[in-house]
Structure formats: structure tokens, C-alpha cells
Amino acid sequence: MKQYNYINIFLIIILIAMATSPAFALGENNRNLLLIGFMFLSPLILLRYLEFGMKDLQLVLFVITIILCPLIFHPDTMRWSTVLFTAMFCVTFMAHGRLLYHGSFTPESYRNVLKYLIYAFTIVLLVQQLCVLNDWAIPNLSNYDSKNPWKLNSLTSEPSNSARIVGLLMYCYIVIQERIRGEKYSPLSNSFTDKWVWLCFIWTMATMMSGTAFLFLALVLVRFVRLRTLLPLCLIILAITFIVQHMEVAAINRTYKFAKAVLTLNEHTIVAADHSASFRIVPFMRFTKMLDLTTLNGWFGNGVDFVQSRYHTMFVGVKQGAIPPSGLISIAIDYGFLAFIQFVWFSISVCIDKKDIQSYFFWSFMILLISINSQLLWLTLILFQTNKHFKQQVL
């Protein structure tokens, strides 16, 4: 029994470490040093449970590919720190799977972790907002711009990351509630028992002043778009719109304009619509054009950090050494299309539920458009792995 308790504690630590990045623990390029320290313990868990499944095999083959391709074709570019950082994330994912299988972690425990994480993000945001209001020192501050004083980061390195994570946590909370209750989740019928979760979620997404927050708010609410719930949803959206308009929030308007620009697939239109947000889309588009499957480099890569070394030369205002938000396409450019296909295949098998259209949206925004060495991507994989574990489990 004690062993199971330790396993559950480790599982909770993994979830918390992946979901948060406190300011004091941020290193170069906003790397979460606390998470990195914990990931060093993951190999010990693999040694404790020497067993391998299909997901493990997929990750092992991927790691072998990203090691061998640069060593064979571009040995002068081999940067072990970058490759091993990716391998650490892979090992942590495998360790999480073993703990999930061998522990006594229940759907109710998982639901509570998600709930308290949402509470934590909201509480920290409220404290930060109170400090801004009273001109006090703001705790846990990171990537702050005094010109946008209400755009606050809460428990991660920046507001857009917190918005993504809170939206993902809420989606997973709804999924596990459906699993526990054995029925479709309804905000109306579950409004009493989950009122504080919904209040925290809506407040955080509506007042974080991040355009990304409104996008992920929509991704969560789209789950309830049915004929009988259309009117209540419209009322909720109108209420949120009324609140943000009276708070003089420009983020929701920016999100709308930017979404329209993205649909044009025109780089100049996207940049003109929102220069800051364009850095999350345009690099992905531009680096995709660099992929050429008629060449050897197209299949086996141009070498480690090829994308990062050229990022600052392709976009005005980018500092040398900055990590490009090019998403998974950077795998194809650096390590080759073979490695890219391996990881895409793996991530789809973990995330996609054919009966849940939201899983496609979250895979697109939290996997496809996120860099491989980002805790956002691996948090998504770990949460979806947990969702599937409990969905397949007989309660």
C-alpha cells in the first residue's frame, strides 16, 4: 500500500511539474529547471519497471533516429545537449506510463489534481491582479510588459502558455468527469458541483488579457455546441463579451482579426493583423516551405539546431539563439522527414480520439504547432495518456 502511495505522489509531481513553471525556476530561454531536475529521476523509474509497450517502442525508435541521422549525415552539427533534452522528455513520458499502470491512481484522484491546478492558476492570477491594482510588487512575474499591466503570466513563463495549459486542464477535467459519471458532461446539469471550477476557468481565460486565452476558451466550449445548449452558450459568450468590453480589453478583437488573417494563409496578411501573434504561425509556414523530400537532407535532416541557427536571420527583431516557434516541422528540418513521421505517428496514437473532434484541435494547437523540447507539448501527451488510461479502464 505504501508503494502505491509513493507512486501516486510521483504521478502528481509529474503533472504539477509539467503544468507549471514558476519564475524563480526559469533558466535560459525560459527552461524550467525544476522540471529538468525531476526528469533526471525518470530513468530510475524505468529501471524499476523493465517493460516495454508499443508507445515505448515508438519513442525509442524516434530517439535512435534523432541520434543517428545527425551523427551519420551531419556529425559536425551534433549537439548532445539538445538531443538528450528531447530524450529526457521521452523517458519521463515512459516513466509516467509505468507509474500510471502500476499505481493506484484513480479517476477521482486525477480529477482532483486537474481541479486544484485550475484553482492554483486562478489564485496566482488574482494575487497578481490585486498587486497591479494597488501598485504592489507582483509575485511570480515573468515576461511582463508594463505597457500591458494586466497581461499576467500566472503560474507559467508567459500569459499565452498559462492560457493553453488552463484550457487543456479544463478539457481533461470534462473528459474525466464524463468517464466517472458515465454520461455526457453538461455545464447546466453539472453547474452546481463544478461551479467553482467553471468560475475559475472563465475568470482566468477572460481576464488574462491574452488572445490565446479566448481561442482556448472557444476550444473548450465547442464541446457543448448542441441545439438545446446553443442558447445558454450564446448567453455565456455574450456575458463574457460584455465584461471584456467594459474592461477595455483589446485581446478578443485581436484574436478575431488574427484568426481571419490566418485563414488567408498569407504571411504578410498574418503579420499585419498581429505582429506578435504572427511569430507563432508564420515561422511554421516558412520553415515548412524549406522541406524538400527530393533531397537526402529532406529525409535525414540538415543537422541539429539547423532551424534555430537560421531563425534570427529570417525574421526581423529576433535575437540570435532564440528558440523558433516552428512546431514539429523543426524535427523534419533538423532530423529529417523520417523522424518527423515517427513522432507524428506516436503523438496521434496518444492524443487522437476518433469520437472526439476536440482531440484533433488540441493535437493541432498543443502538439503540431509546439516545439519538441517544450513542456507544453509533453504535458499534453501525458494528460492525454492519462485520459486514455482511464477510458480503457473498467471502473
Side-chain angles (χ1 to χ4, degrees):
M1 183 62 69
K2 289 184 179 179
Q3 180 186 6
Y4 285 144
N5 289 337
Y6 287 133
I7 290 175
N8 291 347
I9 290 172
F10 282 136
L11 279 168
I12 293 171
I13 291 174
I14 289 177
L15 291 176
I16 294 173
M18 282 287 180
T20 63
S21 49
F24 71 86
L26 295 178
E28 186 181 359
N29 291 321
N30 289 327
R31 285 194 174 92
N32 188 343
L33 300 182
L34 277 181
L35 174 61
I36 293 172
F38 179 77
M39 288 197 297
F40 273 110
L41 301 176
S42 298
L44 299 178
I45 298 173
L46 294 192
L47 291 174
R48 173 64 179 83
Y49 302 105
L50 290 174
E51 54 196 33
F52 287 88
M54 179 57 68
K55 297 291 183 297
D56 300 321
L57 179 61
Q58 289 174 313
L59 278 181
V60 169
L61 289 175
F62 169 71
V63 171
I64 291 173
T65 302
I66 65 174
I67 291 175
L68 290 182
C69 283
L71 275 179
I72 294 172
F73 298 98
H74 301 280
D76 56 313
T77 70
M78 189 58 180
R79 187 178 173 187
W80 284 103
S81 59
T82 300
V83 176
L84 291 178
F85 194 39
T86 304
M88 285 173 61
F89 275 116
C90 294
V91 170
T92 302
F93 176 87
M94 291 190 284
H96 172 267
R98 282 157 177 73
L99 294 175
L100 200 58
Y101 179 78
H102 290 282
S104 58
F105 204 54
T106 64
E108 290 78 13
S109 300
Y110 177 50
R111 176 191 61 191
N112 289 338
V113 172
L114 296 172
K115 177 172 66 176
Y116 291 123
L117 277 172
I118 294 171
Y119 288 167
F121 272 90
T122 305
I123 290 170
V124 173
L125 179 64
L126 282 169
V127 171
Q128 290 179 332
Q129 290 171 336
L130 183 64
C131 290
V132 172
L133 184 64
N134 292 280
D135 199 24
W136 296 337
I138 306 172
N140 200 52
L141 198 61
S142 175
N143 292 297
Y144 184 67
D145 183 0
S146 58
K147 295 178 181 178
N148 297 300
W150 295 100
K151 193 171 183 178
L152 298 160
N153 60 294
S154 187
L155 274 176
T156 68
S157 58
E158 57 182 90
S160 61
N161 287 346
S162 289
R164 289 182 178 91
I165 289 175
V166 172
L168 177 65
L169 292 172
M170 191 64 197
Y171 164 75
C172 292
Y173 181 85
I174 293 166
V175 168
I176 199 61
Q177 281 288 61
E178 289 183 342
R179 180 69 182 96
I180 292 170
R181 296 173 180 175
E183 60 183 12
K184 284 288 185 181
Y185 189 94
S186 170
L188 298 178
S189 60
N190 299 113
S191 60
F192 180 77
T193 55
D194 292 337
K195 61 180 180 297
W196 290 111
V197 180
W198 276 104
L199 182 61
C200 288
F201 170 66
I202 296 295
W203 177 267
T204 301
M205 304 303 270
T207 67
M208 192 175 284
M209 308 306 162
S210 169
T212 304
F214 292 105
L215 172 62
F216 276 77
L217 175 62
L219 288 182
V220 172
L221 293 181
V222 75
R223 189 178 190 86
F224 310 111
V225 177
R226 303 182 188 97
L227 190 60
R228 62 188 179 85
T229 59
L230 193 58
L231 180 59
L233 273 177
C234 288
L235 292 175
I236 292 172
I237 293 171
L238 286 173
I240 294 172
T241 304
F242 177 80
I243 292 170
V244 298
Q245 282 182 342
H246 280 72
M247 293 175 67
E248 297 182 355
V249 177
I252 193 168
N253 195 33
R254 283 176 51 210
T255 304
Y256 173 71
K257 289 182 178 179
F258 185 68
K260 284 178 62 179
V262 170
L263 293 176
T264 66
L265 298 179
N266 184 291
E267 293 180 12
H268 299 292
T269 304
I270 295 172
V271 172
D274 191 324
H275 185 267
S276 175
S278 69
F279 275 83
R280 305 183 190 281
I281 300 294
V282 174
F284 179 85
M285 297 170 61
R286 196 165 292 180
F287 283 117
T288 300
K289 296 175 183 178
M290 294 173 60
L291 185 62
D292 185 0
L293 297 183
T294 64
T295 65
L296 201 63
N297 285 347
W299 284 97
F300 301 106
N302 295 274
V304 180
D305 289 337
F306 180 88
V307 169
Q308 184 173 339
S309 65
R310 283 154 180 77
Y311 180 43
H312 71 283
T313 65
M314 299 175 66
F315 298 91
V316 178
V318 175
K319 296 180 180 179
Q320 187 172 359
I323 298 176
S326 51
L328 292 188
I329 196 63
S330 62
I331 297 177
I333 304 298
D334 287 352
Y335 303 107
F337 191 70
L338 181 62
F340 172 78
I341 287 297
Q342 285 178 318
F343 193 81
V344 167
W345 173 41
F346 159 74
S347 63
I348 286 176
S349 67
V350 172
C351 296
I352 297 300
D353 181 348
K354 294 179 181 178
K355 298 180 181 179
D356 186 356
I357 192 172
Q358 279 181 298
S359 66
Y360 292 86
F361 291 141
F362 277 98
W363 179 83
S364 298
F365 288 106
M366 296 295 287
I367 303 293
L368 184 62
L369 296 178
I370 302 292
S371 299
I372 184 70
N373 284 343
S374 168
Q375 71 181 83
L376 293 176
L377 179 146
W378 291 99
L379 170 67
T380 305
L381 289 170
I382 283 174
L383 290 179
F384 273 84
Q385 177 175 238
T386 309
N387 292 347
K388 283 198 172 182
H389 171 78
F390 288 125
K391 280 185 176 182
Q392 296 166 358
Q393 191 181 69
V394 178
L395 298 181

